[in-house]
Amino acid sequence: PAYLPPEVLRRVAGRDASVGWTLAVNTAGRPRDGRMAMAFTETLYGLPMPPGVRGPTGDKPIFAEILWLVSAEGPFLVGGTLLGVFALVLLDRRRLGEALWVMLPLVAGLLLTLGGRVALGWKPNFFNIVVLPNLIGNAVDNGVHWYRRWTETGHATADVQKELSGALTASAAITTIGYGSLALAHHAGLRSIGSTAVLGFACLWAMGVVLMPGVLALRSQRRDARKAAAPSSRASTRARSSGPRSLSS
């Protein structure tokens, strides 16, 4: 060690100025392959280390630890986010049926996003889990604004569509541009986040601007039809009940 330059010695020396040999082991495949990094790290962790050997450490074990953490806790985080948002919506509407109507474009948009990824041949990866809570938190506003204005205007679907379609479109476009910039990144994980976000916000926008007004308009038509049919049914009931009395008289 006395013959090594200080720049080299600094890399292999500990805080107590002790030095030792450094053994570098790397994978033969792609350096950013998450599954390979986890398999490689799991193999390293299974090797018995001789006394006095420290490790293993490096970028691959750290990357694998992050992926293990995301894959283990990611589904619970996504499910918890969805349940938390539904609880807030239920607290606001105070009725289960109305809360489900508010959640309709969100759930439909998420399902359409997952189906779109399958149709496009995009393979699932660990980075996509980061996008889903963001989609849930941003896109629930579509159902909240739509259903609230729909009830405040007396179920005037056309008026609400004229009022909210432009605002919802502008909001979705701005958010999509922000996340879409990640699709231009060199890192494959960041590109996956950006692509999934763009697809997700597009699907959620379509469900909020196209599906939600269509379903609510259909609901209004059915309600108006039931109201129109109610007086005629009551009149026919009175006619049938008054018939025998007129004959007996």
Side-chain angles (χ1 to χ4, degrees):
Y3 299 99
L4 294 176
E7 292 78 9
V8 177
L9 186 61
R10 190 182 301 112
R11 298 180 181 180
V12 297
R15 294 183 178 180
D16 55 354
S18 61
V19 296
W21 294 101
T22 301
L23 177 62
V25 182
N26 210 333
T27 59
R30 294 181 299 172
R32 297 175 181 176
D33 192 337
R35 293 180 176 85
M36 181 175 295
M38 289 189 295
F40 176 72
T41 304
E42 187 175 1
T43 302
L44 287 180
Y45 285 172
L47 295 177
M49 294 297 169
V53 176
R54 300 177 182 179
T57 185
D59 59 331
K60 293 295 185 302
I62 294 175
F63 185 37
E65 292 284 354
I66 294 175
L67 295 181
W68 282 331
L69 181 64
V70 171
S71 59
E73 299 184 0
F76 295 100
L77 293 177
V78 174
T81 303
L82 191 59
L83 290 177
V85 168
F86 178 73
L88 291 176
V89 172
L90 183 60
L91 184 64
D92 175 67
R93 302 311 306 174
R94 301 182 184 277
R95 292 182 180 180
L96 179 61
E98 293 186 0
L100 293 176
W101 278 106
V102 172
M103 295 292 292
L104 174 63
L106 174 60
V107 176
L110 292 177
L111 294 177
L112 185 60
T113 302
L114 297 178
R117 285 186 53 86
V118 175
L120 293 173
W122 294 355
K123 296 181 180 180
N125 56 63
F126 305 97
F127 297 95
N128 301 145
I129 301 179
V130 182
V131 185
L132 296 180
N134 293 299
L135 293 177
I136 295 172
N138 282 278
V140 70
D141 296 344
N142 296 339
V144 172
H145 295 316
W146 240 106
Y147 196 84
R148 181 180 291 274
R149 286 300 298 158
W150 185 70
T151 54
E152 290 175 351
T153 57
H155 305 161
T157 307
D159 295 338
V160 178
Q161 177 73 336
K162 294 178 181 178
E163 178 181 350
L164 294 182
S165 60
L168 295 180
T169 301
S171 176
I174 294 173
T175 308
T176 302
I177 292 174
Y179 279 93
S181 60
L182 296 177
L184 304 177
H186 295 287
H187 192 276
L190 295 179
R191 288 199 306 270
S192 177
I193 292 176
S195 301
T196 302
V198 170
L199 176 64
F201 282 115
C203 294
L204 291 165
W205 168 83
M207 295 298 99
V209 178
V210 179
L211 176 67
M212 191 66 172
V215 173
L216 291 180
L218 181 61
R219 180 184 174 185
S220 299
Q221 292 175 1
R222 291 184 176 180
R223 177 177 296 181
D224 296 339
R226 287 196 299 268
K227 289 181 179 180
S232 59
S233 62
R234 288 196 296 267
S236 61
T237 303
R238 287 195 299 268
R240 287 195 300 269
S241 61
S242 61
R245 288 197 298 271
S246 61
L247 291 176
S248 60
S249 60

